[in-house]
Amino acid sequence: MIDRWEMPRSCVSAAMLTELATEHGVAAAHVLRGTGITPQVLKDPTAEITAGQELTLVRNLISHLATVDGLGIAAGKRYHAPSFGPLGFAMISSPTVREALEVVTRWFELSFSFSTLRRHDDDATITVVLDDTGVPADIKCFNTERDLSAICTMIRSLLPSMPILLAGLDIALPEPRYVAKYADIAAAVATELRFGSAVTALHIDAALLPLPLPQANRHIAEMCVQQCATLLQRRRARAGVSGHVRDHLLRRGHAADQDEVARELSMSVRTLRRRLTEEGTSYRELVAETLGMLAEELLRTGMPVEQIADRLGYADASSFTHAFKSWKGMTPGRYARERVGNRTSQPIRAAY
């Protein structure tokens, strides 16, 4: 599997945490130290960092504000729907509570949590577990507080005038001296808080799932879900060894020997194969995926099939056509007619 700390994520969360630090008198330079994140990156809402970089930032934040009670709770209050990009808009535009919950369950990896999500359904209750296995011990409290605070903030915006959604809230932390801060964020959304639980979990009354959401718009919700799928696929493609292989192939603009790629990554072919297997792919699959993407983009420019075949390193157009059919289930000519038509676009990679 791909290392969770290598996964790209939006810099929006890092920017909000940096703002939180400065509001408490801590200079941005102190919380950004050792992260590789620059102030310029934080100003770009489209920029991405890795989960590991945000982890370092959180550690810096905690070290400088160790005396602030409920720091994670304060942080979580800043996370409103727009903060989560397509995921947030998919949630608030979902037609019902049920569909919003399905969006969260499916695309939770696009959130800013360091935890993973598990869901268990029965006739009466939906249980959503925030699993912090693998989260470093020194930030577990902050991570849990931020998650719960952000979730409660989102629920308030989803259901501003509707019944309490959570039948109960289990918290895998001892009851703190600032328990009133928890009560403040959860008062409008949960009936009971239970500290000292084995896991952090939200319990939702299944009878509330059909409730319509006030900002429901099925068309927008479906569009945002598609954006979630595209975004997650792109982020996963950049992470891990498989991401480095894709980058190498994209830079070359055509296929490369596995031996050559392994040398560039300073590993043996055997190690490369093992690492790719652990990430659920293979070198052959990555070559097919990357060349297929390159071929699609070149077809959009109107380049003739013969030139594309030569550009991608194929012996002739026939070999390229055979490979393209195995990727897309149709010839490149048919793809150009049906998917591209008379439209043209500029290539998006310098390697083109």
Side-chain angles (χ1 to χ4, degrees):
M1 297 295 291
I2 294 172
D3 186 336
R4 69 163 71 182
W5 306 114
E6 292 184 8
M7 275 296 291
R9 54 174 52 195
S10 167
C11 72
V12 169
S13 176
M16 292 192 294
L17 295 178
T18 303
E19 289 175 359
L20 176 63
T22 57
E23 289 173 10
H24 281 81
V26 178
H30 294 316
V31 288
L32 295 180
R33 183 171 297 144
T35 66
I37 304 170
T38 65
Q40 290 70 32
V41 167
L42 296 183
K43 293 177 183 178
D44 181 0
T46 66
E48 290 185 337
I49 59 176
T50 67
Q53 287 177 292
E54 186 168 328
L55 172 66
T56 301
L57 188 151
V58 167
R59 281 178 165 149
N60 291 341
L61 179 70
I62 293 172
S63 69
H64 286 285
L65 297 176
T67 60
V68 177
D69 288 343
L71 182 63
I73 294 175
K77 289 180 179 180
R78 297 168 178 258
Y79 292 77
H80 298 275
S83 309
F84 297 93
L87 174 62
F89 290 112
M91 283 190 285
I92 63 174
S93 58
S94 294
T96 65
V97 171
R98 182 191 308 277
E99 288 166 278
L101 182 58
E102 289 173 352
V103 166
V104 176
T105 303
R106 186 174 182 185
W107 306 110
F108 188 73
E109 196 173 345
L110 293 175
S111 74
F112 296 110
S113 176
F114 294 132
S115 297
T116 57
L117 185 146
R118 293 185 281 112
R119 173 177 164 179
H120 309 289
D121 297 9
D122 60 36
D123 293 338
T125 307
I126 311 300
T127 299
V128 177
V129 176
L130 295 171
D131 187 349
D132 62 3
T133 303
V135 176
D138 59 327
I139 68 155
K140 280 193 176 186
C141 179
F142 177 90
N143 182 63
T144 298
E145 289 186 346
R146 180 176 67 164
D147 284 356
L148 294 178
S149 180
I151 289 169
C152 291
T153 299
M154 282 295 299
I155 291 176
R156 284 173 173 170
S157 62
L158 283 172
L159 302 165
S161 60
M162 294 202 180
I164 288 177
L165 184 67
L166 303 181
L169 186 55
D170 297 335
I171 305 171
L173 295 171
E175 183 173 316
R177 61 179 179 274
Y178 50 89
V179 66
K181 292 182 181 291
Y182 278 88
D184 176 58
I185 62 165
V189 300
T191 57
E192 183 180 7
L193 303 180
R194 294 181 287 267
F195 290 92
S197 301
V199 295
T200 297
L202 300 79
H203 302 281
I204 303 170
D205 185 346
L208 300 179
L209 295 182
L211 284 176
L213 296 183
Q215 300 182 59
N217 186 310
R218 185 171 294 278
H219 175 73
I220 292 177
E222 291 176 352
M223 178 181 66
C224 291
V225 164
Q226 291 175 359
Q227 292 175 348
C228 286
T230 300
L231 179 59
L232 184 56
Q233 181 181 28
R234 178 175 60 77
R235 288 181 178 176
R236 284 176 173 170
R238 288 180 50 200
V241 173
S242 56
H244 293 303
V245 172
R246 289 186 183 94
D247 287 344
H248 177 87
L249 294 171
L250 287 169
R251 287 198 304 273
R252 288 180 61 93
H254 56 80
D257 291 336
Q258 192 170 189
D259 291 356
E260 177 185 336
V261 175
R263 284 195 300 272
E264 180 173 283
L265 299 180
S266 301
M267 62 180 67
S268 67
V269 172
R270 182 178 180 180
T271 299
L272 175 60
R273 288 173 178 164
R274 176 176 57 79
R275 294 287 297 278
L276 293 178
T277 298
E278 291 172 353
E279 294 179 11
T281 188
S282 69
Y283 186 77
R284 183 176 181 178
E285 290 175 353
L286 291 174
V287 170
E289 175 187 320
T290 306
L291 293 188
M293 182 173 65
L294 288 169
E296 289 180 48
E297 291 300 326
L298 292 173
L299 285 167
R300 291 191 182 102
T301 70
M303 182 180 291
V305 170
E306 292 78 8
Q307 290 184 26
I308 294 175
D310 181 67
R311 185 74 165 267
L312 298 182
Y314 286 90
D316 50 43
S318 177
S319 300
F320 167 66
T321 297
H322 179 76
F324 193 90
K325 286 180 67 176
S326 70
W327 304 330
K328 306 297 178 183
M330 64 180 71
T331 66
R334 180 181 169 188
Y335 178 91
R337 290 191 300 273
E338 294 186 1
R339 306 291 180 86
V340 182
N342 294 323
R343 293 173 297 161
T344 60
S345 66
Q346 294 301 313
I348 61 173
R349 295 276 184 172
Y352 296 176

